[in-house]
Amino acid sequence: MANQAVKIDGLWQILRIAGWCSVVLLLVLPAVAMQFTSEVDWSVGDFIVMGAVLGTVGFTTEFLVRQSGSTAYRIGAVVAMATAFLTIWVNLAVGMIGDDNPYNLLFGGVLLVAVGGSILANFKAAGMGWTMFVTAVLQAALAAGGIKTDFRGAMFSLAFALPWLLAAGLFRRAATD
């Protein structure tokens, strides 16, 4: 039993290192691409903002993963944080619903619900499950509200409800284990 725990902890350590390497890679790729094409044109500010976003996501993921020894909880935390990151990235790059559409600011509310609900739940699995479920419902509702403006963007945004639901299910599983 103890040997199994050591193997699992070792796996999480490898995944942790891989995660931080991914953060570095996501910052290095645009810098390298800028050397070969004018299609990628990041300013110093772009690198600072993306570095801050990636750092925040990375440290928050580290915090959440340490809240429980449950594999379901840990995977739920990673899925939730990856979805939060992608929500931010898409909105900064092109927007969920049309480019430069003020409607996209509403998706910040999705992130506020995820963060606020997690804090209110004191990061406990059952509360995190409900929080991610409500986050998924809000994501879907906002996507539905954008259908008339940008059907394709709304469908893309609606797809983001799925990983929020997956995280909800994983946290729920962790609560029942």
Side-chain angles (χ1 to χ4, degrees):
M1 188 78 144
N3 192 23
Q4 183 69 13
V6 170
K7 286 181 183 178
I8 290 172
D9 286 342
L11 174 63
W12 280 107
Q13 189 66 13
I14 291 168
L15 292 173
R16 180 176 173 254
I17 292 167
W20 284 111
C21 288
S22 298
V23 165
V24 171
L25 183 63
L26 284 172
L27 286 172
V28 169
L29 281 176
V32 171
M34 286 171 48
Q35 306 308 310
F36 298 103
T37 180
S38 61
E39 296 291 318
V40 179
D41 184 25
W42 280 31
S43 68
V44 172
D46 292 330
F47 283 99
I48 290 170
V49 167
M50 191 51 72
V53 168
L54 287 167
T56 300
V57 167
F59 286 118
T60 304
T61 302
E62 290 260 1
F63 170 78
L64 289 173
V65 165
R66 293 170 192 248
Q67 296 303 303
S68 173
S70 164
T71 300
Y73 186 101
R74 290 177 169 188
I75 294 171
V78 170
V79 169
M81 290 309 302
T83 307
F85 167 71
L86 290 173
T87 299
I88 294 167
W89 191 9
V90 168
N91 265 315
L92 287 175
V94 295
M96 290 277 195
I97 307 293
D99 201 12
D100 293 328
N101 187 336
Y103 188 83
N104 289 313
L105 295 174
L106 295 175
F107 289 96
V110 172
L111 300 174
L112 287 175
V113 166
V115 170
S118 297
I119 292 168
L120 288 173
N122 202 26
F123 306 103
K124 300 293 185 222
M128 293 288 284
W130 281 109
T131 296
M132 295 306 121
F133 177 76
V134 170
T135 302
V137 170
L138 180 57
Q139 178 81 37
L142 288 174
I147 287 176
K148 288 184 181 179
T149 305
D150 178 10
F151 181 79
R152 190 174 69 165
M155 292 299 104
F156 176 74
S157 175
L158 182 60
F160 274 56
L162 297 175
W164 290 121
L165 284 174
L166 174 60
L170 287 162
F171 284 123
R172 184 78 184 133
R173 170 80 186 244
T176 60
D177 283 348

